[in-house]
Amino acid sequence: MKIAFLGNYPPKACGIGTFTHSLALAILSNLKADDVHEYAEIIAMEDPHDDHDYPREVSRTIRPQVIRDYRDTADYLNDNQFDLLLLQHEYGIFGGDDGAYVLHLLDRLRIPLIVTCHTVLKEPSYGQRNVLSRIARRAQAVVVMTDLASNLLQEVFHVDADKISVIEHGVPVIDSAPIDELRQRLGWNDRRVLFTFGLLGRGKGIETSIRALPAIVERYPNTLYVVLGKTHPHVLRDNGEEYRNYLKDLAAELGVGDNLQMISKFADEQELFDCLRAADVYVVPYPNVAQITSGTLAYAVGAGAAIVSTPFWHATELLQDGRGKLFPFNDSPQLAQQILELFDNPETMQAMRASAAEYGQHLLWPRIGKQYLRVFGQSRAAYARYCQRTEVSISLPKLKLDHLRRLTDDCGIIQHAKYATPNRHEGYCVDDNGRALLLVGMMLNHKVGETKLLERLADTYISFLFHAQNSDGTFRNFMGYDRSFMEAVGSEDSYGRALWGIAYCYAHPPRPDHRSLLEEMFIRAIGHLDTMQSPRTVAYGVLALSYYLDHKPGDEAMLNMLDRSCNRLLDHYRDSRRDDWHWFEKYLTYSNGVIPLSLFRSLRHLNKDSLREVAVEATNFLVSQTVIDGLLCPIGCHEPFLQDCERPHYDQQPVDAMGMVLLLSEACRHQELRVHCDNLGLAFSWFTGQNEMKAPMYNPESGGCYDGLMAQGVNHNQGAESLLSYLISRVEMENYCRNQPDSPCSESLEDEERALKDMLNGFALPDQVTTLKEEVKKITPE
């Protein structure tokens, strides 16, 4: 076998690095190889400020924040006959929000994948749950180190039980000198030694142990508490030795400064085991329950130490059956009492040591390596089945309007939010109320959502636009929260977006009584279209005219204006087009998709080959510029993408993804563009995490959508433009799915299915299950 390991690796000083190295050696011992390099290569995560001198088995490094490194590594693994990849997963070692950048590698990977999870959370954030769930879906096997971690993967992350293997944390096979000799060598002959080791940081709870020292020293003055370990590199970088100095000062303040020895050193395994075997008690004072794996605890058990620990998750499993004692979190008096009882009863301490040492025989790395080899074989068979699977369709998240209601008050929709909270400082705008009206019109037309709620929302948005329209038909745009407008006439874009929403709802009125007012507003406004200069505004007008003509197809004046406006777009196209640039302007910027979309939409009323040809050519060009490496990568709006200049990647905006969804949904109705059906799915998947940062933009917890992908990460504000862009895309995709039998998407009912399953398991007897399912189908056929 040729195996690739991905994670941290020595000489980087960290627990995962040590684990990866030990596991590679354990598998080596089972394969009877002489050198790790004979059967494996290591791909090490390497921060830019590090410059480690890696051994020869490290063939590549990945810079955590460089997306291209992940993609190149996947190509390397695919092209060099590797049999599988063994990934060490910990959120903090990979780049992107919640370590999402590793998904760039996994999405391109064409070999079996096994994942070892070093952290499994009981209450993850949405981003954490999304990343680990996606990793587990791609993996053929997921290894965890405790039964609780297996249960959490199934219950919280919905990983199939058949995919999960519980393989405990290994410990090295190390011989030590007799204890008396070790104690003499370490200078501990006449001391009662408490011992803790590991990288130092505030999350280790060392202060709890120090606060227990006075009570212990009072009875046993010769007690020495040894803390071995360097300060964690990230802590050292951000705060220096502040925590170490704090611990020393605390010990001095409590009068036990001479009973504390802090050794700043990353010890090798031999030294660790010597210390563990020579110490009287090994103390694990972690302050938080949510630690699913502790390598230091596993080492202590393997060394046969007498262990006193807080009851964090791993400890409650590993220290069962007399292998250790537990004390409450942050409870120094209880810790002191537990240690004194052991000091007072050496027989109890010795029995605890023996129990731990006996169990530690099961944890020796060669035995752990053999268990991994069995998983390797199973994963290769699972990968063969994975490759034969039918292509999975793109799931649409359950439609949720909570954030739309949160942002909408009795005046209109508030344009911005601070995270998910409406930001009243920014007030309202016509742009967003026009989009909001378009959304509710689409939802009612496609019979998506609650009719009464949508009709009430339509009243609000129509009222806002009516109030914003000047007597000459133009629109004011920005309104403060005090409900006073900030300018006499708004931008061309705000005019176009208002016109689009008004015309759509004129053709498909939320209620029949809305049509008269909407027609008045449209007629007052449409005459200004001929004066607009921006191709986007003209495109919005073309869309509006096409919807108006859906209801009044015989209106010659509007047909003439539609034809005239389309000709203006063709003029823009001819003026800017080159052999390598098929576009309406000499640059690409925001909301690009609406321009060719408007030409496709106009074909419902104008049968002109020139419109079709330009729409097709421009669509193909836009796709070539924005679908990259199997992802939608909207043109960054930080600056325009000029001809012959470098393409800006950020900031990527939800409104651009919406434009591509609407464009490709319309384009795929034309036979010559059916090839873009897959790209339609990619465009929508930008919202659900298939983007350059592998970060979900839609937040199902709030129902909002993040405001953009920035160079430094996700903008976590959830304003109206982003929300409406997502919801319009979501509704358009659902309508497309209903009407196109070969659509690339399907509505996700996973949450409802799980709820139904829970209901059946919780409240139904076995013979009632079938009856209940049939009753539910009558109510919700899907």
Side-chain angles (χ1 to χ4, degrees), residues 57-120:
E57 62 263 26
V58 177
S59 60
R60 300 176 67 87
T61 60
I62 293 177
R63 294 164 290 179
Q65 300 299 334
V66 180
I67 291 172
R68 175 50 58 187
D69 285 4
Y70 295 91
R71 295 174 176 171
D72 289 347
T73 298
D75 294 341
Y76 174 78
L77 294 173
N78 295 335
D79 295 341
N80 285 276
Q81 290 78 51
F82 283 88
D83 290 291
L84 60 87
L85 170 64
L86 180 53
L87 170 71
Q88 305 303 311
H89 180 261
E90 170 66 65
Y91 290 107
I93 69 175
F94 302 111
D97 284 3
D98 304 305
Y101 284 1
V102 73
L103 295 169
H104 283 283
L105 190 159
L106 303 187
D107 285 350
R108 295 168 76 98
L109 191 67
R110 299 295 177 263
I111 62 174
L113 170 67
I114 298 172
V115 179
T116 301
C117 292
H118 292 263
T119 294
V120 182

Side-chain angles (χ1 to χ4, degrees), residues 307-318:
I307 304 167
V308 179
S309 172
T310 52
F312 61 93
W313 289 335
H314 193 193
T316 57
E317 284 194 27
L318 192 53

Side-chain angles (χ1 to χ4, degrees), residues 272-309:
L272 287 176
F273 267 67
D274 288 349
C275 291
L276 285 165
R277 286 167 175 155
D280 293 280
V281 178
Y282 180 69
V283 183
V284 191
Y286 293 162
N288 299 307
V289 69
Q291 175 125 355
I292 204 69
T293 303
S294 169
T296 61
L297 182 65
Y299 274 36
V301 170
I307 304 167
V308 179
S309 172

Side-chain angles (χ1 to χ4, degrees), residues 208-221:
T208 299
S209 301
I210 293 175
R211 289 193 175 100
L213 278 178
I216 299 169
V217 169
E218 184 178 2
R219 192 182 306 178
Y220 293 94

Side-chain angles (χ1 to χ4, degrees), residues 166-184:
V166 178
I167 302 177
E168 294 192 76
H169 195 298
V171 299
V173 180
I174 291 181
D175 293 325
S176 295
I179 289 180
D180 290 343
E181 183 180 330
L182 291 175
R183 290 177 67 86
Q184 183 173 358

Side-chain angles (χ1 to χ4, degrees), residues 179-180 183 192 276-281 303-307 321-325 341-358:
I179 289 180
D180 290 343
R183 290 177 67 86
R192 300 267 185 171
L276 285 165
R277 286 167 175 155
D280 293 280
V281 178
I307 304 167
D321 302 324
R323 294 189 289 271
K325 296 171 72 72
E341 287 178 1
L342 290 176
F343 283 177
D344 292 342
N345 298 280
E347 299 84 3
T348 302
M349 189 187 303
Q350 190 56 40
M352 187 184 296
R353 284 178 175 274
S355 179
E358 180 182 4

Side-chain angles (χ1 to χ4, degrees), residues 135-155:
I135 291 172
R137 280 198 297 272
R138 171 58 183 83
Q140 278 62 63
V142 181
V143 177
V144 291
M145 301 179 211
T146 64
D147 290 331
L148 176 60
S150 174
N151 293 336
L152 290 176
L153 278 182
Q154 295 172 62
E155 295 168 7

